[in-house]
């Protein structure tokens, strides 16, 4: 599994380097109070990274946190109720 992760990491790195090398045209991003001077490739990779971070944050807030809260409630309910021994249907044969 570690080798697979390393290969995926290297593939993503190579794709990022290719995108950065092919798109070397300079561009300026005008913000309200400042300007950013960068290349098109760096801007594309930064936009993809921001999209991944925002998407992961949305999944965390909309899926993971409610499931974690539900799991905590279920564990609290299970620990508060008295333990009932399971009924065995095994008759010794």
């Amino acid at each position: 599994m570690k080798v697979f992760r390393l290969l995926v990491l290297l593939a993503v790195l190579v794709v990022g380097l290719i995108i950065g090398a092919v798109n070397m045209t300079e561009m300026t991003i005008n913000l309200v109070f400042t300007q950013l001077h960068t290349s098109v490739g760096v801007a594309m990779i930064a936009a993809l990274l921001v999209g991944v971070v925002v998407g992961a944050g949305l999944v965390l807030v909309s899926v993971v946190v409610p499931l974690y809260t539900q799991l905590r409630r279920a564990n609290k309910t299970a620990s508060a109720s008295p333990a009932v021994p399971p009924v065995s249907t095994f008759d010794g044969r």
Side-chain angles (χ1 to χ4, degrees):
M1 189 54 114
K2 289 184 180 182
V3 174
F4 178 72
R5 286 183 182 175
L6 181 64
L7 289 174
V8 169
L9 177 69
L10 288 174
V12 169
L13 180 66
V14 167
V15 168
L17 288 173
I18 290 172
I19 289 172
V22 171
N23 297 299
M24 291 298 295
T25 307
E26 290 293 321
M27 68 179 286
T28 302
I29 301 172
N30 293 318
L31 302 173
V32 176
F33 297 109
T34 187
Q35 292 181 350
L36 299 175
H37 301 283
T38 185
S39 67
V40 174
V42 172
M44 286 173 47
I45 292 173
L48 286 172
L49 180 64
V50 167
V52 167
V53 169
V54 169
L58 288 173
V59 168
L60 181 73
V61 169
S62 65
V63 176
V64 175
V65 172
L67 286 177
Y68 182 70
T69 305
Q70 184 180 5
L71 179 64
R72 282 184 30 208
R73 275 194 223 126
N75 284 338
K76 197 179 289 186
T77 304
S79 66
S81 64
V84 177
V87 177
S88 175
T89 58
F90 181 69
D91 62 354
R93 289 191 233 171

